[in-house]
Amino acid sequence: MPSFDGLRVLDMTTFWAGPSCTHMLAMLGAEVIHVESTRRPDGTRLIAGIPITEDQWWEKSPIFSGLNTNKKGLTLDLQSAAGRELLMRLIATCDVIVENFTPRVLDQIGLDFAAVQEVRPDAIMLRMPGFGLDGPWRDNPAFAYVIEAASGISWLTGYPDRNPYEPYSVGDPNAGVHALNALLLALEHRRRTGQGVHIEAAMVDAALNVAGEQVIEYSAYGALLQRAGNRGPTAAPQNLYRTNEIDEFGRCDCWVAVAVATDEQWVGLCDALGRPEWATDRALATADGRRRHHDRIDENLNAWGESRSGEEIVEALWGHGVYRWRRSCSPTANRSCRSWPSGVFFENVDHPVNAKTPHSTVPFTSTRGPDRVHVHPAPLLGQHNRELLSELGLSDKDIDELEAHGVIGTAPAMHGTKV
């Protein structure tokens, strides 16, 4: 992946889909300015289950922290004329503007691509609505589970004898990744031509790209895909198997995932089990045979695993070439698992309010460097107000007046919290 040093991004996103796109830019060196308002902070600040009686409760969301490291934090009340005027002045300094509201939100403040081009002709405007910028569903809110149901992803997630299962908001980061790819193409177009680009990256389009397998399989082969639990098309057996451990809630709900992708891995699994009679049945020697007898394999692997801890299972299998095992808790249908060296993929991140906490990084290396991906913690609400507004030419007195009138602030203007 390239470095984005020197790229300035105005991040008008919230919750997960939009911030996951801009977060990748921030982790790869872009200057990303995350805009919130004190009346409507980023939604992930509000869904962490932190009691509002706690001091600075809005700064304690692990979801917000995980999606916004390396970003700067600015608050602007876009319902005010002063806030909108400052927003346009800020847009004039930015290469990329990203937002993921329903279209009516920007309609209300008159911010469209034409307005952006008036102040920054070569700007790239990336819009991430749920259902597109036009059409009968344009103004419908679109959280991940809505997108997953609308696109058909939920229909294939879960167990055959149960209702479809909501696959833990995969529609959000999936939308973020698709939008990021579109943005990379737009940046290359701008590099070659100097032209700005308007991108419409609807969440439902990204989800349909994932769900398209259903249509392709039926069109090409007449195969109607159905829910298959944790089983998959390229490995057999593939499932989650319960261990003898108790989870943090006192339940027998700890699991190990396995996916045997080759005949050689099956031989290794049999060796790890001590080659019991059921496992050496010639009917299980091929992938097709194992798929036909998947229920019998699951029954025996469950019996074997229930008397062992997750670590015992992993160690037994690891030594016999079965590398795709990993401990897991609270199984979710169709979740694949693979081990990853924790010292490589996670970095401990300091925070001015919260304790140092491991944060996931990125599953690739970058030409950018440095050694650390998370250079700065997620910003406090309005943390960089004075810095960013001073860059626009505002004096300390001007900034103090904006704060006094509630245009900017550093605490939510809600629940009796003083701005």
Side-chain angles (χ1 to χ4, degrees):
M1 289 291 289
S3 166
F4 292 108
D5 289 332
L7 187 74
R8 195 175 219 209
V9 179
L10 186 62
D11 176 12
M12 300 173 61
T13 67
T14 187
F15 282 103
W16 191 357
S20 68
C21 171
T22 55
H23 191 214
M24 186 65 70
L25 299 173
M27 289 192 291
L28 294 174
E31 180 189 13
V32 178
I33 302 168
H34 189 58
V35 178
E36 307 172 72
S37 76
T38 58
R39 295 202 303 170
R40 291 187 179 274
D42 188 317
T44 56
R45 291 187 183 274
L46 312 178
I47 60 173
I50 307 297
I52 64 172
T53 53
E54 287 196 20
D55 186 42
Q56 290 185 283
W57 57 267
W58 60 89
E59 304 294 0
K60 298 181 179 181
S61 167
I63 309 173
F64 182 85
S65 183
L67 286 168
N68 293 286
T69 61
N70 296 1
K71 298 181 183 180
K72 294 181 177 180
L74 173 69
T75 52
L76 285 177
D77 178 11
L78 300 183
Q79 300 303 311
S80 69
R84 292 192 296 272
E85 190 267 337
L86 288 170
L87 178 69
M88 297 309 298
R89 289 171 64 178
L90 188 60
I91 286 174
T93 71
C94 293
D95 302 286
V96 177
I97 298 92
V98 186
E99 64 88 20
N100 71 327
F101 300 107
T102 54
R104 63 178 174 77
V105 174
L106 293 197
D107 289 349
Q108 290 171 353
I109 63 173
L111 182 61
D112 57 13
F113 186 49
V116 168
Q117 286 200 302
E118 286 185 8
V119 297
R120 182 69 187 248
D122 67 340
I124 296 171
M125 187 175 189
L126 170 59
R127 303 191 66 177
M128 300 176 61
F131 296 102
L133 297 176
D134 52 22
W137 286 12
R138 73 184 294 268
D139 289 326
N140 289 344
F143 291 96
Y145 53 84
V146 176
I147 293 296
E148 289 148 15
S151 64
I153 292 176
S154 296
W155 176 254
L156 286 184
T157 308
Y159 298 93
D161 57 342
R162 304 181 195 175
N163 288 332
Y165 190 90
E166 194 280 300
Y168 198 67
S169 300
V170 68
D172 277 338
N174 178 61
V177 170
H178 278 75
L180 177 62
N181 282 316
L183 179 57
L184 293 177
L185 292 172
L187 287 168
E188 177 60 16
H189 177 79
R190 190 182 79 153
R191 185 188 70 81
R192 293 182 178 183
T193 67
Q195 298 173 346
V197 182
H198 185 206
I199 304 171
E200 178 184 353
M203 291 179 68
V204 72
D205 289 345
L208 287 169
N209 193 35
V210 174
E213 181 186 13
Q214 302 173 53
V215 177
I216 294 169
E217 283 288 326
Y218 189 79
S219 300
Y221 309 110
L224 182 62
L225 299 183
Q226 300 286 355
R227 292 184 294 282
N230 290 292
R231 298 178 183 178
T234 60
Q238 177 177 310
N239 216 327
L240 296 179
Y241 303 96
R242 197 191 306 267
T243 74
N244 66 357
E245 297 161 297
I246 304 300
D247 70 6
E248 66 270 30
F249 302 107
R251 304 171 303 186
C252 188
D253 194 28
C254 291
W255 305 73
V256 170
V258 65
V260 173
T262 66
D263 292 343
E264 290 75 18
Q265 289 181 6
W266 173 251
V267 172
L269 175 60
C270 292
D271 290 341
L273 299 177
R275 303 193 65 80
E277 182 178 353
W278 70 266
T280 57
D281 186 340
R282 291 179 61 84
L284 306 182
T286 65
D288 287 341
R290 293 191 293 276
R291 192 166 283 107
R292 284 194 300 270
H293 296 281
H294 209 305
D295 288 344
R296 176 155 63 99
I297 295 173
D298 283 349
E299 182 180 350
N300 283 282
L301 285 181
N302 272 319
W304 179 77
E306 285 180 342
S307 63
R308 293 166 172 80
S309 71
E311 292 300 332
E312 289 172 334
I313 295 171
V314 170
E315 290 177 7
L317 294 168
W318 194 269
H320 288 87
V322 186
Y323 300 117
R324 292 171 64 91
W325 288 74
R326 180 188 173 195
R327 290 188 63 185
S328 175
C329 287
S330 301
T332 300
N334 286 350
R335 178 189 297 168
S336 61
C337 296
R338 182 185 294 270
S339 59
W340 191 276
S342 61
V344 175
F345 190 62
F346 293 92
E347 292 177 352
N348 285 324
V349 177
D350 284 315
H351 191 274
V353 173
N354 305 308
K356 181 182 292 188
T357 306
H359 284 52
S360 59
T361 58
V362 291
F364 51 79
T365 57
S366 169
T367 56
R368 171 197 172 213
D371 293 337
R372 284 187 61 84
V373 171
H374 300 292
V375 181
H376 302 290
L380 304 179
L381 186 65
Q383 179 178 342
H384 300 93
N385 284 349
R386 196 163 294 273
E387 170 191 332
L388 294 167
L389 296 177
S390 295
E391 291 177 4
L392 296 180
L394 276 69
S395 66
D396 286 342
K397 180 181 178 182
D398 295 332
I399 296 170
D400 290 340
E401 289 181 356
L402 289 171
E403 187 162 7
H405 288 90
V407 178
I408 64 172
T410 56
M414 56 179 67
H415 303 296
T417 303
K418 184 178 178 181
V419 177

